[in-house]
Amino acid sequence: MSETTAPAPPRPPAAPPPTRRRGRLLRAAAWAALLLVLLALPLVVGPGLLSAGQYVMVGAVGAIGLTLVIGQAGQLSLAHAFFLLVGGTSYAVLAGETEQAGSERIVGLGLPPLVALVGAVAISALAGLAFAPVAGRLKGIYLGVASLALVFLGFYLGQALPALTGGAASGRNPEPFSLFGFPFSNEGYLAVLGVPFRQSERLWYLFLALTVIAFVLATGAVRSRVGRSWRAVRDNEAAAAVMGVDVLRAKAGAFAVSAAYAGLAGVMVTLWLGLLKPDESEFGTYGLNTSIAFLAMAIIGGLGSIPGAVVGAVIVFGTPQVLTLFADELGLGDTLAGLSPTVISLYVYGVAVILVVLFEPGGLAAIGRRLAGLVTRTGATAPRSQPPGEERS
């Protein structure tokens, strides 16, 4: 009579290699340190630098959305400026009050600012979804040109609908943001550690919270099934369809998500400026130059990289702000007469794009990954002290 053997207990999952664990710990520590610095920054810097940082965070949110649709889904979009206008206008209409400005009647629904912000993001996503039939049938440069047409459509609608936008002459003032009765403006006195918290400090924390939320959600989307379907469509549409991916649905979802991020950036830029004003030419806040600037952020940071998009925003949107603040200290007025900080910044990130395309197509994200891997490997191969009692013979 044969004896039956009990089944072996399942083996515990293998622990990640020490090098990988060390890399994760280093990344977590770096992100925690960066977040602490950003939280403490309003206590030590002035309103000028805080305003520059807020504009960088506007760019970071928009660039994250663009790198998702281009780098992850492989769909070229130049319509980001249009969705910025949609988001800003939607917030102004949803949160504002109906009023009479001269001979023009400005429409507003008077909703709570938080509801208006969420509604503006949703409306922007729906606008991106409405572009899905075009995105599903075009690719490459043809899709880019088709999406660029939306920028010209926004330029026309901004001037043709003054009841919503306030018109290109004067625009309209958006409702200041508030959350559960707390105003993110100069209303009311608030001080932290003896530092008065006015609108610039309050908006800093609001923008930081929105940027962190956008970053975390995008990172989760990239690692999820949705992100895998985007990359499958990017790499090979036919192979993705064979594997069961709904190609049209994946493209539509990528554009909707990207448009939602651009809409949130549009709300942020409207709050940052304190004004919603449609462009009077094709080269304004919602014009061609803005779409190209967001594309430059994604390319410099590394297409498909979420942290790279943030770094790209620091370079593209941060450079003109810093040059404007420190123009006198840097002597720009004397040495570069006739060149404004904005023009200089165009040269800076233009050269950065050329260098990335020629020498590092993976962008700054690829350089960062190599440096992080080098640091991790160096720590892993460092000589360790021999434990007592185990001296080599």
Side-chain angles (χ1 to χ4, degrees), residues 287-346:
L288 295 174
N289 54 321
T290 301
S291 287
I292 294 172
F294 278 110
L295 181 61
M297 295 178 203
I299 293 175
I300 293 172
L303 288 175
S305 171
I306 308 302
V310 177
V311 178
V314 172
I315 295 175
V316 175
F317 270 11
T319 301
Q321 295 294 315
V322 172
L323 290 179
T324 302
L325 286 174
F326 299 102
D328 295 336
E329 290 83 348
L330 297 174
L332 297 181
D334 300 328
T335 59
L336 297 172
L339 293 179
S340 66
T342 302
V343 174
I344 297 172
S345 65
L346 292 177

Side-chain angles (χ1 to χ4, degrees), residues 351-363 367 370:
V351 171
V353 169
I354 294 174
L355 292 176
V356 165
V357 171
L358 290 179
F359 301 106
E360 184 47 83
I367 298 176
R370 283 204 296 270

Side-chain angles (χ1 to χ4, degrees), residues 119-209:
V121 173
I123 292 173
S124 301
L126 291 176
L129 196 60
F131 190 70
V134 178
R137 288 164 175 79
L138 297 176
K139 63 174 64 176
I141 189 63
Y142 303 104
L143 177 58
V145 173
S147 64
L148 188 60
L150 292 178
V151 177
F152 294 96
L153 177 63
F155 172 66
Y156 168 75
L157 293 178
Q159 297 184 1
L161 300 174
L164 302 180
T165 64
S170 58
R172 65 182 295 176
N173 299 108
E175 181 70 18
F177 192 82
S178 61
L179 186 62
F180 304 118
F182 177 78
F184 288 83
S185 61
N186 290 323
E187 182 182 345
Y189 178 77
L190 175 66
V192 177
L193 299 178
V195 178
F197 268 46
R198 304 181 182 89
Q199 180 174 351
S200 58
E201 288 82 8
R202 300 179 189 185
L203 278 182
W204 172 270
Y205 287 112
L206 173 64
F207 283 17
L208 181 59

Side-chain angles (χ1 to χ4, degrees), residues 52-350:
Q54 291 161 13
Y55 194 53
V56 168
M57 286 188 275
V58 171
V61 171
I64 290 172
L66 190 61
T67 203
L68 289 177
V69 73
I70 297 181
Q72 292 291 324
Q75 307 301 303
L76 179 59
S77 172
L78 296 175
H80 236 46
F82 170 76
F83 296 118
L84 252 72
L85 179 62
V86 172
T89 303
S90 299
Y91 175 81
V93 172
L94 293 175
E97 300 288 345
T98 300
E99 57 184 352
Q100 192 73 26
S103 59
E104 205 65 54
R105 183 172 181 267
I106 307 298
V107 177
L109 301 181
L111 299 177
L114 179 60
V115 177
L117 186 147
V118 175
V121 173
I123 292 173
S124 301
L126 291 176
L129 196 60
F131 190 70
V134 178
R137 288 164 175 79
L138 297 176
K139 63 174 64 176
I141 189 63
Y142 303 104
L143 177 58
V145 173
S147 64
L148 188 60
L150 292 178
V151 177
F152 294 96
L153 177 63
F155 172 66
Y156 168 75
L157 293 178
Q159 297 184 1
L161 300 174
L164 302 180
T165 64
S170 58
R172 65 182 295 176
N173 299 108
E175 181 70 18
F177 192 82
S178 61
L179 186 62
F180 304 118
F182 177 78
F184 288 83
S185 61
N186 290 323
E187 182 182 345
Y189 178 77
L190 175 66
V192 177
L193 299 178
V195 178
F197 268 46
R198 304 181 182 89
Q199 180 174 351
S200 58
E201 288 82 8
R202 300 179 189 185
L203 278 182
W204 172 270
Y205 287 112
L206 173 64
F207 283 17
L208 181 59
L210 294 176
T211 305
V212 170
I213 293 172
F215 185 95
V216 172
L217 291 178
T219 303
V222 168
R223 296 174 179 175
S224 69
R225 180 182 300 177
V226 173
R228 291 193 293 271
S229 68
W230 288 346
R231 289 188 293 275
V233 171
R234 175 198 65 190
D235 296 337
N236 192 311
E237 292 186 12
V242 170
M243 290 187 296
V245 176
D246 189 334
V247 175
L248 294 180
R249 183 176 181 180
K251 288 184 176 183
F255 260 93
V257 171
S258 177
Y261 272 83
L264 177 58
V267 176
M268 294 169 67
V269 77
T270 302
L271 293 174
W272 183 74
L273 290 171
L275 178 68
L276 170 69
K277 187 175 182 296
D279 297 331
E280 298 184 43
S281 70
E282 294 87 347
F283 301 93
T285 306
Y286 310 103
L288 295 174
N289 54 321
T290 301
S291 287
I292 294 172
F294 278 110
L295 181 61
M297 295 178 203
I299 293 175
I300 293 172
L303 288 175
S305 171
I306 308 302
V310 177
V311 178
V314 172
I315 295 175
V316 175
F317 270 11
T319 301
Q321 295 294 315
V322 172
L323 290 179
T324 302
L325 286 174
F326 299 102
D328 295 336
E329 290 83 348
L330 297 174
L332 297 181
D334 300 328
T335 59
L336 297 172
L339 293 179
S340 66
T342 302
V343 174
I344 297 172
S345 65
L346 292 177
Y347 285 112
V348 169
Y349 74 74

